[in-house]
Amino acid sequence: MAAQIIDGKRIAGKIKERLIKEIEELKKQGITASLSAIQVGDDPGTGVYVRAQQRSCEKIGLDYKLHQFKKDVSQKELRDFIARLNEDTGVSGIILQMPLPSQLDGRILQGMIDPKKDAEGVSPANMGMVVYGKPLLAPCTAMAVMELINSVGVKLYGKEAVVVGHSDIVGKPTALLLLDKFVTTSVCHIATGERGTLPQYVSQAEILIVAVGKANLVKGEWVKEGAIVIDVGINRVEGKIVGDVEFEVAKERASHITPVPGGVGAVTTAMLLKNCVQAAKLQSK
Ligand code: NAP
């Protein structure tokens, strides 16, 4: 039987409805939730993303401020600017748009953001809280994956999951969030691919998360019957956006599957907004 499609847009819509109420509530208490975005250079892809971000914030009543820097800005200039935003009590969330020009070290700059204002949840302190099982502001995509899995309504305790991809901001934190729910979790990466054992791992997964960035890397026939499949990948193929999983075949085997687009991406944006609201609450304590 064909899988149920997990509707990321609908889930994101519900999260945003809740956030609208929370933002109104905060306003009544004199707290304004906001997002300050830092954009370096004029990369068109980042421009599209920033405009979408601004629209999403405005729709739910979150103040949005964009700070643009020329592409030759120095590490020190940005460090000083982040320090000023950290001090500014009118700023609740901060995001440093990636990618950055080569003279800048994004990881160090992200680490400069006050953990209580870290809208993307990528600073070392916030990653550390994920390790401790007490996430404050966790990485948005990893949280989105958990939200999508939870939307299916299955008991996670004791399930077997496989995460394909071990990036710092997606694969690793997703695996940690799953472990925290007592899901037995395997993490695959490039060496698994090179060894040729990726199909074996994938075929064991009751919950499969793929975050690589290679179109159709995971063949539909590898997917376990009845698995929950969360496809994080975003790839452009012949002018179309596709994921990392061979969707048409996989959906005949899975019980639930996310589409690309319309799955993880929509919920990731909602999680960024949620982190901004959470950040405003953390700072008001
Ligand atoms: P990344 O940093 O490039 O990480 C990709 C991971 O895949 C790495 O761990 C890499 O391993 C692993 N990998 C590469 N080839 C492999 C193979 N053949 N078999 C198994 N693993 C392999 O990318 P990312 O930031 O995690 O993003 C992954 C994908 O998700 C991208 O398409 C990105 O656009 C998308 N994404 C989507 C959202 C969303 O909201 N929908 C958010 C973030 C990212 P090594 O490091 O060992 O090479």
Side-chain angles (χ1 to χ4, degrees):
M1 209 171 79
Q4 221 170 297
I5 308 298
I6 305 176
D7 186 348
K9 283 188 191 158
R10 190 183 60 80
I11 294 167
K14 280 191 168 176
I15 296 167
K16 288 180 194 170
E17 273 170 28
R18 283 200 297 273
L19 291 176
I20 289 171
K21 290 195 185 112
E22 286 181 40
I23 290 168
E24 279 168 5
E25 208 46 54
L26 285 170
K27 275 190 183 145
K28 282 184 201 154
Q29 297 166 36
I31 301 161
T32 305
S34 71
L35 176 61
S36 288
I38 303 170
Q39 182 186 3
V40 179
D42 51 9
D43 174 64
T46 309
V48 171
Y49 187 58
V50 160
R51 282 191 293 280
Q53 213 170 62
Q54 181 161 14
R55 279 197 302 276
S56 301
C57 286
E58 285 169 357
K59 273 190 193 158
I60 64 160
L62 196 77
D63 279 10
Y64 185 84
K65 205 158 191 189
L66 177 63
H67 304 276
Q68 289 173 299
F69 289 84
K70 293 212 171 91
K71 65 175 186 293
D72 59 357
V73 65
S74 71
Q75 180 93 357
K76 181 174 183 318
E77 276 174 273
L78 276 186
R79 225 174 48 207
D80 292 347
F81 185 71
I82 290 171
R84 284 215 301 280
L85 291 183
N86 284 343
E87 291 299 314
D88 187 340
T89 51
V91 172
S92 47
I94 303 170
I95 180 171
L96 177 63
Q97 306 291 349
M98 299 288 174
L100 292 172
S102 57
Q103 81 276 13
L104 301 172
D105 187 327
R107 190 55 57 82
I108 289 183
L109 289 167
Q110 280 176 328
M112 296 279 310
I113 297 172
D114 180 340
K116 285 188 181 161
K117 296 192 175 191
D118 173 23
E120 286 191 292
V122 290
S123 70
N126 281 320
M127 290 287 192
M129 293 311 279
V130 174
V131 174
Y132 292 147
K134 295 185 172 28
L136 280 179
L137 301 175
C140 302
T141 308
M143 285 207 300
V145 169
M146 294 308 290
E147 194 75 28
L148 288 156
I149 295 170
N150 285 329
S151 76
V152 172
V154 296
K155 198 174 106 194
L156 294 184
Y157 190 95
K159 285 268 183 312
E160 304 253 343
V162 171
V163 180
V164 186
H166 67 156
S167 70
D168 292 344
I169 62 162
V170 186
K172 283 183 201 170
T174 300
L176 289 167
L177 292 176
L178 286 164
L179 282 175
D180 211 40
K181 300 289 173 204
F182 293 91
V183 175
T184 305
T185 307
S186 306
V187 183
C188 299
H189 40 65
I190 189 75
T192 326
E194 284 168 4
R195 195 181 155 107
T197 47
L198 193 57
Q200 274 142 265
Y201 279 94
V202 168
S203 65
Q204 298 295 315
E206 294 168 300
I207 302 171
L208 173 68
I209 297 103
V210 189
V212 173
K214 288 184 181 163
N216 297 326
L217 172 77
V218 170
K219 304 296 167 221
E221 66 194 30
W222 301 351
V223 171
K224 188 181 174 74
E225 289 280 351
I228 298 169
V229 180
I230 311 292
D231 190 349
V232 183
I234 300 175
N235 310 286
R236 191 173 283 276
V237 176
E238 293 168 1
K240 278 177 69 180
I241 301 291
V242 299
D244 291 345
V245 178
E246 199 186 17
F247 182 81
E248 289 304 324
V249 185
K251 84 173 186 338
E252 297 304 319
R253 297 177 65 82
S255 64
H256 298 79
I257 188 166
T258 56
V260 180
V264 178
V267 183
T268 297
T269 306
M271 287 300 159
L272 175 72
L273 305 174
K274 188 176 173 185
N275 269 351
C276 291
V277 174
Q278 173 72 359
K281 287 182 191 167
L282 286 172
Q283 287 151 58
S284 70
K285 281 181 185 158

